[in-house]
Short mmCIF file of all heavy atoms in Angstrom, two decimals:
data_model
loop_
_atom_site.label_atom_id
_atom_site.label_comp_id
_atom_site.label_asym_id
_atom_site.label_seq_id
_atom_site.Cartn_x
_atom_site.Cartn_y
_atom_site.Cartn_z
N MET E 1 0.85 -1.17 0.00
CA MET E 1 0.00 0.00 0.00
C MET E 1 0.90 1.25 0.00
O MET E 1 1.78 1.39 0.84
CB MET E 1 -0.90 -0.04 1.24
CG MET E 1 -1.94 1.05 1.31
SD MET E 1 -2.98 0.83 2.75
CE MET E 1 -4.56 0.90 2.00
N SER E 2 0.64 2.13 -0.91
CA SER E 2 1.50 3.31 -1.04
C SER E 2 1.20 4.31 0.09
O SER E 2 0.12 4.28 0.69
CB SER E 2 1.25 3.99 -2.39
OG SER E 2 -0.01 4.62 -2.40
N PRO E 3 2.15 5.18 0.36
CA PRO E 3 1.94 6.17 1.42
C PRO E 3 0.74 7.08 1.14
O PRO E 3 0.02 7.46 2.07
CB PRO E 3 3.24 6.99 1.41
CG PRO E 3 4.26 6.08 0.81
CD PRO E 3 3.53 5.22 -0.16
N ILE E 4 0.49 7.41 -0.11
CA ILE E 4 -0.65 8.27 -0.44
C ILE E 4 -1.96 7.54 -0.17
O ILE E 4 -2.90 8.11 0.38
CB ILE E 4 -0.55 8.76 -1.91
CG1 ILE E 4 0.65 9.68 -2.04
CG2 ILE E 4 -1.83 9.45 -2.33
CD1 ILE E 4 0.92 10.16 -3.44
N ALA E 5 -2.03 6.25 -0.49
CA ALA E 5 -3.23 5.46 -0.23
C ALA E 5 -3.48 5.33 1.27
O ALA E 5 -4.62 5.41 1.73
CB ALA E 5 -3.11 4.09 -0.88
N ARG E 6 -2.39 5.14 2.03
CA ARG E 6 -2.54 5.06 3.49
C ARG E 6 -3.01 6.39 4.06
O ARG E 6 -3.83 6.41 4.98
CB ARG E 6 -1.22 4.64 4.13
CG ARG E 6 -0.87 3.20 3.83
CD ARG E 6 0.29 2.70 4.62
NE ARG E 6 1.36 3.70 4.76
CZ ARG E 6 2.57 3.45 5.19
NH1 ARG E 6 2.89 2.23 5.54
NH2 ARG E 6 3.46 4.39 5.29
N LEU E 7 -2.51 7.50 3.53
CA LEU E 7 -2.94 8.82 3.98
C LEU E 7 -4.41 9.04 3.68
O LEU E 7 -5.17 9.53 4.53
CB LEU E 7 -2.09 9.91 3.32
CG LEU E 7 -2.41 11.35 3.75
CD1 LEU E 7 -2.19 11.53 5.24
CD2 LEU E 7 -1.56 12.32 2.94
N ARG E 8 -4.86 8.65 2.48
CA ARG E 8 -6.28 8.77 2.13
C ARG E 8 -7.15 7.94 3.07
O ARG E 8 -8.20 8.38 3.51
CB ARG E 8 -6.51 8.35 0.68
CG ARG E 8 -6.07 9.35 -0.32
CD ARG E 8 -6.40 8.88 -1.71
NE ARG E 8 -5.84 9.79 -2.71
CZ ARG E 8 -5.57 9.46 -3.94
NH1 ARG E 8 -5.80 8.22 -4.36
NH2 ARG E 8 -5.07 10.34 -4.78
N LEU E 9 -6.71 6.72 3.35
CA LEU E 9 -7.45 5.84 4.25
C LEU E 9 -7.54 6.47 5.64
O LEU E 9 -8.61 6.48 6.27
CB LEU E 9 -6.78 4.47 4.33
CG LEU E 9 -7.41 3.49 5.32
CD1 LEU E 9 -8.84 3.16 4.93
CD2 LEU E 9 -6.56 2.22 5.39
N PHE E 10 -6.42 7.01 6.11
CA PHE E 10 -6.41 7.64 7.43
C PHE E 10 -7.38 8.82 7.48
O PHE E 10 -8.17 8.94 8.42
CB PHE E 10 -4.98 8.11 7.77
CG PHE E 10 -4.91 8.91 9.03
CD1 PHE E 10 -5.01 8.29 10.26
CD2 PHE E 10 -4.73 10.29 8.98
CE1 PHE E 10 -4.96 9.03 11.44
CE2 PHE E 10 -4.66 11.03 10.15
CZ PHE E 10 -4.77 10.39 11.37
N ILE E 11 -7.34 9.68 6.48
CA ILE E 11 -8.23 10.85 6.44
C ILE E 11 -9.69 10.40 6.38
O ILE E 11 -10.55 10.96 7.07
CB ILE E 11 -7.86 11.78 5.28
CG1 ILE E 11 -6.50 12.43 5.56
CG2 ILE E 11 -8.93 12.84 5.06
CD1 ILE E 11 -5.93 13.22 4.41
N ARG E 12 -9.98 9.39 5.59
CA ARG E 12 -11.35 8.87 5.49
C ARG E 12 -11.82 8.33 6.85
O ARG E 12 -12.95 8.56 7.27
CB ARG E 12 -11.41 7.78 4.43
CG ARG E 12 -12.83 7.41 4.06
CD ARG E 12 -12.92 6.43 2.90
NE ARG E 12 -11.85 6.55 1.91
CZ ARG E 12 -11.06 5.55 1.51
NH1 ARG E 12 -11.22 4.34 2.03
NH2 ARG E 12 -10.12 5.73 0.61
N GLN E 13 -10.94 7.62 7.56
CA GLN E 13 -11.30 7.08 8.86
C GLN E 13 -11.50 8.20 9.89
O GLN E 13 -12.41 8.13 10.72
CB GLN E 13 -10.22 6.12 9.35
CG GLN E 13 -10.21 4.82 8.59
CD GLN E 13 -9.05 3.93 8.98
OE1 GLN E 13 -8.09 4.38 9.60
NE2 GLN E 13 -9.14 2.65 8.62
N VAL E 14 -10.69 9.25 9.82
CA VAL E 14 -10.85 10.38 10.73
C VAL E 14 -12.20 11.06 10.50
O VAL E 14 -12.93 11.37 11.44
CB VAL E 14 -9.69 11.40 10.56
CG1 VAL E 14 -10.01 12.71 11.27
CG2 VAL E 14 -8.40 10.82 11.08
N ILE E 15 -12.56 11.26 9.25
CA ILE E 15 -13.84 11.89 8.92
C ILE E 15 -15.00 11.02 9.40
O ILE E 15 -15.97 11.52 9.98
CB ILE E 15 -13.93 12.19 7.41
CG1 ILE E 15 -12.94 13.29 7.05
CG2 ILE E 15 -15.35 12.59 7.02
CD1 ILE E 15 -12.77 13.51 5.56
N ASP E 16 -14.90 9.71 9.21
CA ASP E 16 -15.95 8.79 9.68
C ASP E 16 -16.10 8.86 11.20
O ASP E 16 -17.22 8.85 11.72
CB ASP E 16 -15.65 7.36 9.25
CG ASP E 16 -15.86 7.14 7.76
OD1 ASP E 16 -16.55 7.97 7.14
OD2 ASP E 16 -15.31 6.15 7.23
N GLU E 17 -14.99 8.92 11.91
CA GLU E 17 -15.05 9.00 13.37
C GLU E 17 -15.62 10.35 13.83
O GLU E 17 -16.35 10.42 14.81
CB GLU E 17 -13.68 8.77 13.99
CG GLU E 17 -13.19 7.35 13.89
CD GLU E 17 -14.09 6.35 14.61
OE1 GLU E 17 -14.57 6.66 15.72
OE2 GLU E 17 -14.30 5.27 14.05
N MET E 18 -15.27 11.42 13.14
CA MET E 18 -15.79 12.74 13.51
C MET E 18 -17.30 12.82 13.34
O MET E 18 -17.97 13.56 14.06
CB MET E 18 -15.10 13.83 12.69
CG MET E 18 -13.65 14.06 13.06
SD MET E 18 -13.42 14.53 14.77
CE MET E 18 -14.20 16.13 14.78
N ARG E 19 -17.86 12.06 12.41
CA ARG E 19 -19.32 12.04 12.23
C ARG E 19 -20.02 11.38 13.41
O ARG E 19 -21.19 11.64 13.66
CB ARG E 19 -19.67 11.30 10.95
CG ARG E 19 -19.36 12.10 9.71
CD ARG E 19 -19.89 11.41 8.46
NE ARG E 19 -19.55 12.21 7.28
CZ ARG E 19 -18.95 11.75 6.21
NH1 ARG E 19 -18.63 10.47 6.13
NH2 ARG E 19 -18.68 12.54 5.20
N LYS E 20 -19.32 10.52 14.14
CA LYS E 20 -19.90 9.83 15.29
C LYS E 20 -19.89 10.68 16.56
O LYS E 20 -20.54 10.32 17.53
CB LYS E 20 -19.12 8.54 15.57
CG LYS E 20 -19.19 7.52 14.45
CD LYS E 20 -18.33 6.32 14.81
CE LYS E 20 -18.20 5.36 13.65
NZ LYS E 20 -17.32 4.23 14.00
N VAL E 21 -19.16 11.78 16.56
CA VAL E 21 -19.02 12.61 17.75
C VAL E 21 -20.35 13.27 18.09
O VAL E 21 -21.02 13.83 17.23
CB VAL E 21 -17.92 13.68 17.55
CG1 VAL E 21 -17.90 14.67 18.71
CG2 VAL E 21 -16.57 13.03 17.36
N VAL E 22 -20.74 13.16 19.36
CA VAL E 22 -21.96 13.82 19.84
C VAL E 22 -21.54 15.07 20.59
O VAL E 22 -20.84 14.99 21.60
CB VAL E 22 -22.77 12.87 20.76
CG1 VAL E 22 -24.00 13.57 21.29
CG2 VAL E 22 -23.13 11.61 20.02
N ARG E 23 -21.96 16.21 20.10
CA ARG E 23 -21.59 17.46 20.73
C ARG E 23 -22.60 17.81 21.82
O ARG E 23 -23.80 17.62 21.63
CB ARG E 23 -21.53 18.57 19.69
CG ARG E 23 -20.32 18.40 18.77
CD ARG E 23 -20.32 19.38 17.65
NE ARG E 23 -19.13 19.41 16.83
CZ ARG E 23 -18.60 18.42 16.16
NH1 ARG E 23 -19.10 17.22 16.26
NH2 ARG E 23 -17.53 18.57 15.41
N PRO E 24 -22.13 18.34 22.96
CA PRO E 24 -23.06 18.68 24.04
C PRO E 24 -23.90 19.90 23.67
O PRO E 24 -23.47 20.76 22.90
CB PRO E 24 -22.14 18.99 25.22
CG PRO E 24 -20.85 19.39 24.60
CD PRO E 24 -20.74 18.61 23.32
N THR E 25 -25.10 19.95 24.27
CA THR E 25 -25.94 21.12 24.09
C THR E 25 -25.37 22.27 24.90
O THR E 25 -24.47 22.08 25.73
CB THR E 25 -27.38 20.84 24.55
OG1 THR E 25 -27.36 20.57 25.95
CG2 THR E 25 -27.98 19.66 23.79
N ARG E 26 -25.92 23.46 24.69
CA ARG E 26 -25.43 24.62 25.44
C ARG E 26 -25.63 24.43 26.94
O ARG E 26 -24.74 24.73 27.74
CB ARG E 26 -26.15 25.88 24.95
CG ARG E 26 -25.69 27.14 25.64
CD ARG E 26 -26.34 28.37 25.01
NE ARG E 26 -26.00 29.58 25.68
CZ ARG E 26 -24.90 30.28 25.45
NH1 ARG E 26 -24.03 29.84 24.57
NH2 ARG E 26 -24.65 31.39 26.11
N ASP E 27 -26.79 23.91 27.35
CA ASP E 27 -27.06 23.69 28.77
C ASP E 27 -26.09 22.67 29.37
O ASP E 27 -25.59 22.84 30.49
CB ASP E 27 -28.49 23.22 28.98
CG ASP E 27 -29.51 24.32 28.72
OD1 ASP E 27 -29.12 25.51 28.78
OD2 ASP E 27 -30.68 23.99 28.45
N GLU E 28 -25.82 21.59 28.63
CA GLU E 28 -24.87 20.59 29.12
C GLU E 28 -23.48 21.18 29.25
O GLU E 28 -22.76 20.93 30.23
CB GLU E 28 -24.82 19.40 28.17
CG GLU E 28 -26.06 18.53 28.19
CD GLU E 28 -26.04 17.44 27.13
OE1 GLU E 28 -25.37 17.61 26.09
OE2 GLU E 28 -26.71 16.42 27.35
N LEU E 29 -23.08 21.99 28.27
CA LEU E 29 -21.76 22.60 28.30
C LEU E 29 -21.60 23.53 29.49
O LEU E 29 -20.58 23.50 30.19
CB LEU E 29 -21.52 23.36 26.99
CG LEU E 29 -20.11 23.88 26.75
CD1 LEU E 29 -19.11 22.73 26.70
CD2 LEU E 29 -20.07 24.67 25.46
N ILE E 30 -22.63 24.32 29.77
CA ILE E 30 -22.59 25.23 30.93
C ILE E 30 -22.53 24.41 32.22
O ILE E 30 -21.75 24.71 33.13
CB ILE E 30 -23.80 26.17 30.91
CG1 ILE E 30 -23.66 27.18 29.76
CG2 ILE E 30 -23.97 26.90 32.24
CD1 ILE E 30 -24.89 28.01 29.50
N ASN E 31 -23.33 23.34 32.28
CA ASN E 31 -23.34 22.49 33.47
C ASN E 31 -21.97 21.85 33.69
O ASN E 31 -21.45 21.85 34.82
CB ASN E 31 -24.42 21.42 33.32
CG ASN E 31 -24.65 20.66 34.59
OD1 ASN E 31 -24.47 21.18 35.68
ND2 ASN E 31 -25.02 19.41 34.46
N TYR E 32 -21.39 21.29 32.65
CA TYR E 32 -20.08 20.66 32.78
C TYR E 32 -19.01 21.67 33.21
O TYR E 32 -18.15 21.37 34.03
CB TYR E 32 -19.65 20.01 31.46
CG TYR E 32 -20.54 18.88 30.99
CD1 TYR E 32 -20.60 18.54 29.64
CD2 TYR E 32 -21.33 18.16 31.87
CE1 TYR E 32 -21.41 17.52 29.19
CE2 TYR E 32 -22.15 17.13 31.43
CZ TYR E 32 -22.19 16.81 30.09
OH TYR E 32 -22.98 15.80 29.65
N THR E 33 -19.09 22.88 32.65
CA THR E 33 -18.13 23.92 33.00
C THR E 33 -18.24 24.28 34.47
O THR E 33 -17.22 24.41 35.17
CB THR E 33 -18.34 25.16 32.12
OG1 THR E 33 -18.23 24.78 30.75
CG2 THR E 33 -17.33 26.23 32.44
N LEU E 34 -19.47 24.44 34.96
CA LEU E 34 -19.66 24.77 36.37
C LEU E 34 -19.16 23.65 37.28
O LEU E 34 -18.54 23.92 38.32
CB LEU E 34 -21.13 25.07 36.64
CG LEU E 34 -21.65 26.37 36.05
CD1 LEU E 34 -23.15 26.50 36.28
CD2 LEU E 34 -20.91 27.57 36.61
N VAL E 35 -19.40 22.41 36.89
CA VAL E 35 -18.93 21.27 37.69
C VAL E 35 -17.40 21.29 37.78
O VAL E 35 -16.83 21.10 38.86
CB VAL E 35 -19.44 19.94 37.11
CG1 VAL E 35 -18.71 18.75 37.71
CG2 VAL E 35 -20.94 19.81 37.32
N VAL E 36 -16.75 21.55 36.67
CA VAL E 36 -15.28 21.59 36.67
C VAL E 36 -14.76 22.74 37.53
O VAL E 36 -13.82 22.57 38.32
CB VAL E 36 -14.74 21.70 35.22
CG1 VAL E 36 -13.26 22.03 35.21
CG2 VAL E 36 -15.00 20.41 34.46
N ILE E 37 -15.38 23.91 37.42
CA ILE E 37 -14.94 25.07 38.22
C ILE E 37 -15.12 24.78 39.71
O ILE E 37 -14.22 25.07 40.52
CB ILE E 37 -15.70 26.33 37.78
CG1 ILE E 37 -15.22 26.76 36.39
CG2 ILE E 37 -15.51 27.46 38.79
CD1 ILE E 37 -16.03 27.87 35.77
N VAL E 38 -16.26 24.21 40.10
CA VAL E 38 -16.50 23.89 41.51
C VAL E 38 -15.50 22.85 42.00
O VAL E 38 -14.92 22.98 43.09
CB VAL E 38 -17.95 23.42 41.73
CG1 VAL E 38 -18.15 22.81 43.10
CG2 VAL E 38 -18.93 24.57 41.51
N PHE E 39 -15.26 21.82 41.20
CA PHE E 39 -14.32 20.77 41.60
C PHE E 39 -12.91 21.32 41.77
O PHE E 39 -12.22 21.03 42.76
CB PHE E 39 -14.33 19.63 40.58
CG PHE E 39 -13.33 18.55 40.89
CD1 PHE E 39 -13.57 17.65 41.90
CD2 PHE E 39 -12.15 18.45 40.17
CE1 PHE E 39 -12.65 16.64 42.20
CE2 PHE E 39 -11.23 17.47 40.45
CZ PHE E 39 -11.48 16.56 41.48
N VAL E 40 -12.46 22.12 40.80
CA VAL E 40 -11.10 22.68 40.88
C VAL E 40 -10.98 23.62 42.08
O VAL E 40 -9.97 23.60 42.79
CB VAL E 40 -10.74 23.41 39.55
CG1 VAL E 40 -9.48 24.22 39.71
CG2 VAL E 40 -10.58 22.39 38.43
N THR E 41 -12.01 24.42 42.34
CA THR E 41 -11.99 25.31 43.51
C THR E 41 -11.91 24.50 44.80
O THR E 41 -11.14 24.85 45.71
CB THR E 41 -13.24 26.21 43.51
OG1 THR E 41 -13.28 26.94 42.28
CG2 THR E 41 -13.24 27.17 44.67
N PHE E 42 -12.71 23.43 44.89
CA PHE E 42 -12.66 22.57 46.07
C PHE E 42 -11.28 21.96 46.26
O PHE E 42 -10.75 21.94 47.38
CB PHE E 42 -13.73 21.47 45.96
CG PHE E 42 -13.62 20.44 47.04
CD1 PHE E 42 -14.05 20.72 48.32
CD2 PHE E 42 -13.07 19.20 46.77
CE1 PHE E 42 -13.94 19.76 49.33
CE2 PHE E 42 -12.95 18.24 47.77
CZ PHE E 42 -13.39 18.52 49.05
N MET E 43 -10.69 21.44 45.19
CA MET E 43 -9.38 20.82 45.30
C MET E 43 -8.30 21.84 45.68
O MET E 43 -7.38 21.52 46.44
CB MET E 43 -9.01 20.11 43.99
CG MET E 43 -9.87 18.90 43.69
SD MET E 43 -9.93 17.69 45.01
CE MET E 43 -8.25 17.09 45.01
N MET E 44 -8.42 23.07 45.15
CA MET E 44 -7.46 24.11 45.53
C MET E 44 -7.59 24.44 47.02
O MET E 44 -6.58 24.59 47.71
CB MET E 44 -7.70 25.38 44.70
CG MET E 44 -7.23 25.27 43.27
SD MET E 44 -7.67 26.69 42.25
CE MET E 44 -7.15 28.06 43.22
N ALA E 45 -8.82 24.54 47.51
CA ALA E 45 -9.03 24.84 48.93
C ALA E 45 -8.51 23.70 49.80
O ALA E 45 -7.86 23.95 50.83
CB ALA E 45 -10.52 25.08 49.19
N LEU E 46 -8.78 22.46 49.40
CA LEU E 46 -8.29 21.31 50.16
C LEU E 46 -6.76 21.28 50.19
O LEU E 46 -6.15 21.11 51.25
CB LEU E 46 -8.82 20.01 49.53
CG LEU E 46 -8.38 18.71 50.19
CD1 LEU E 46 -8.96 18.61 51.59
CD2 LEU E 46 -8.81 17.53 49.35
N THR E 47 -6.13 21.47 49.05
CA THR E 47 -4.67 21.46 48.99
C THR E 47 -4.08 22.60 49.80
O THR E 47 -3.09 22.42 50.53
CB THR E 47 -4.21 21.56 47.52
OG1 THR E 47 -4.79 20.49 46.78
CG2 THR E 47 -2.70 21.47 47.41
N SER E 48 -4.68 23.78 49.70
CA SER E 48 -4.19 24.92 50.47
C SER E 48 -4.33 24.68 51.97
O SER E 48 -3.44 24.99 52.76
CB SER E 48 -4.94 26.19 50.09
OG SER E 48 -4.73 26.50 48.74
N GLY E 49 -5.48 24.12 52.37
CA GLY E 49 -5.70 23.82 53.78
C GLY E 49 -4.71 22.80 54.31
O GLY E 49 -4.16 22.97 55.41
N LEU E 50 -4.48 21.74 53.55
CA LEU E 50 -3.50 20.74 53.98
C LEU E 50 -2.10 21.33 54.05
O LEU E 50 -1.35 21.06 54.99
CB LEU E 50 -3.53 19.54 53.03
CG LEU E 50 -4.76 18.64 53.14
CD1 LEU E 50 -4.75 17.61 52.02
CD2 LEU E 50 -4.81 17.96 54.49
N ASP E 51 -1.74 22.15 53.07
CA ASP E 51 -0.42 22.78 53.07
C ASP E 51 -0.25 23.68 54.30
O ASP E 51 0.78 23.63 54.97
CB ASP E 51 -0.24 23.59 51.79
CG ASP E 51 1.12 24.26 51.71
OD1 ASP E 51 2.13 23.56 51.94
OD2 ASP E 51 1.17 25.46 51.43
N PHE E 52 -1.27 24.47 54.58
CA PHE E 52 -1.22 25.36 55.74
C PHE E 52 -1.11 24.55 57.03
O PHE E 52 -0.29 24.83 57.90
CB PHE E 52 -2.47 26.25 55.78
CG PHE E 52 -2.51 27.19 56.94
CD1 PHE E 52 -1.72 28.33 56.94
CD2 PHE E 52 -3.32 26.93 58.02
CE1 PHE E 52 -1.75 29.20 58.02
CE2 PHE E 52 -3.35 27.78 59.11
CZ PHE E 52 -2.57 28.93 59.11
N GLY E 53 -1.95 23.48 57.13
CA GLY E 53 -1.93 22.66 58.33
C GLY E 53 -0.60 21.95 58.54
O GLY E 53 -0.06 21.94 59.66
N PHE E 54 -0.06 21.38 57.49
CA PHE E 54 1.22 20.67 57.62
C PHE E 54 2.37 21.64 57.92
O PHE E 54 3.28 21.32 58.67
CB PHE E 54 1.52 19.85 56.37
CG PHE E 54 0.72 18.58 56.28
CD1 PHE E 54 0.06 18.25 55.11
CD2 PHE E 54 0.62 17.72 57.36
CE1 PHE E 54 -0.68 17.09 55.02
CE2 PHE E 54 -0.12 16.55 57.28
CZ PHE E 54 -0.78 16.23 56.11
N SER E 55 2.31 22.84 57.35
CA SER E 55 3.38 23.80 57.65
C SER E 55 3.32 24.23 59.11
O SER E 55 4.36 24.38 59.76
CB SER E 55 3.29 25.01 56.72
OG SER E 55 2.12 25.76 56.97
N LYS E 56 2.11 24.42 59.65
CA LYS E 56 1.98 24.76 61.07
C LYS E 56 2.46 23.60 61.93
O LYS E 56 3.13 23.81 62.96
CB LYS E 56 0.52 25.09 61.42
CG LYS E 56 0.04 26.39 60.85
CD LYS E 56 0.80 27.54 61.48
CE LYS E 56 0.26 28.86 60.96
NZ LYS E 56 1.01 29.99 61.46
N LEU E 57 2.15 22.36 61.55
CA LEU E 57 2.58 21.20 62.30
C LEU E 57 4.11 21.08 62.29
O LEU E 57 4.72 20.84 63.33
CB LEU E 57 1.96 19.93 61.69
CG LEU E 57 2.35 18.60 62.36
CD1 LEU E 57 1.81 18.55 63.77
CD2 LEU E 57 1.83 17.44 61.53
N VAL E 58 4.72 21.30 61.15
CA VAL E 58 6.19 21.23 61.06
C VAL E 58 6.82 22.33 61.90
O VAL E 58 7.80 22.10 62.61
CB VAL E 58 6.65 21.32 59.57
CG1 VAL E 58 8.13 21.58 59.49
CG2 VAL E 58 6.27 20.05 58.83
N MET E 59 6.25 23.52 61.86
CA MET E 59 6.78 24.61 62.69
C MET E 59 6.65 24.29 64.17
O MET E 59 7.53 24.60 64.97
CB MET E 59 6.08 25.94 62.37
CG MET E 59 6.45 26.49 61.05
SD MET E 59 8.20 26.91 61.02
CE MET E 59 8.28 27.83 59.53
N TRP E 60 5.54 23.65 64.55
CA TRP E 60 5.33 23.32 65.97
C TRP E 60 6.29 22.22 66.41
O TRP E 60 6.86 22.29 67.49
CB TRP E 60 3.89 22.86 66.16
CG TRP E 60 3.57 22.45 67.55
CD1 TRP E 60 3.41 23.25 68.64
CD2 TRP E 60 3.40 21.11 68.01
NE1 TRP E 60 3.14 22.50 69.75
CE2 TRP E 60 3.13 21.16 69.41
CE3 TRP E 60 3.44 19.86 67.40
CZ2 TRP E 60 2.90 20.04 70.17
CZ3 TRP E 60 3.21 18.74 68.16
CH2 TRP E 60 2.95 18.82 69.53
N VAL E 61 6.51 21.20 65.55
CA VAL E 61 7.38 20.08 65.91
C VAL E 61 8.84 20.51 65.93
O VAL E 61 9.57 20.20 66.86
CB VAL E 61 7.20 18.90 64.91
CG1 VAL E 61 8.27 17.85 65.11
CG2 VAL E 61 5.82 18.29 65.07
N PHE E 62 9.29 21.25 64.92
CA PHE E 62 10.71 21.59 64.81
C PHE E 62 11.02 23.00 65.29
O PHE E 62 12.17 23.43 65.23
CB PHE E 62 11.17 21.44 63.35
CG PHE E 62 11.10 20.01 62.87
CD1 PHE E 62 10.16 19.62 61.94
CD2 PHE E 62 11.98 19.06 63.36
CE1 PHE E 62 10.08 18.31 61.50
CE2 PHE E 62 11.92 17.74 62.92
CZ PHE E 62 10.96 17.37 61.99
N GLY E 63 10.05 23.73 65.73
CA GLY E 63 10.27 25.09 66.22
C GLY E 63 10.41 26.06 65.07
O GLY E 63 10.71 25.71 63.94
N GLY E 64 10.12 27.28 65.36
CA GLY E 64 10.21 28.22 64.25
C GLY E 64 10.11 29.65 64.67
O GLY E 64 9.78 30.08 65.70
#
């Protein structure tokens, strides 16, 4: 199989797969975005809290 034939096959397969893609509605997209923002905010708060707590613990144990 020549490189050009393989390239054509690849492009044809990509186009076929792109036709199968289901795009979210506007409401779904807004909902997913809000879920991601809330999750990232929660994880940032959790990480910051743990960092603050562990730094205070290290200062208390080793003096500071």
Side-chain angles (χ1 to χ4, degrees):
M1 186 177 232
S2 72
I4 293 176
R6 290 189 320 193
L7 182 61
R8 284 183 187 157
L9 176 63
F10 173 74
I11 291 172
R12 193 174 328 126
Q13 289 174 343
V14 168
I15 291 171
D16 288 341
E17 289 298 320
M18 289 301 293
R19 286 187 181 128
K20 296 177 188 177
V21 172
V22 178
R23 289 174 172 57
T25 63
R26 181 174 176 84
D27 289 339
E28 289 174 334
L29 189 61
I30 290 171
N31 190 29
Y32 297 156
T33 302
L34 290 175
V35 167
V36 168
I37 290 171
V38 168
F39 177 75
V40 169
T41 303
F42 172 76
M43 292 306 293
M44 286 173 50
L46 179 66
T47 304
S48 297
L50 288 173
D51 181 49
F52 180 77
F54 285 131
S55 67
K56 289 294 183 184
L57 179 65
V58 166
M59 289 297 191
W60 178 73
V61 169
F62 295 109

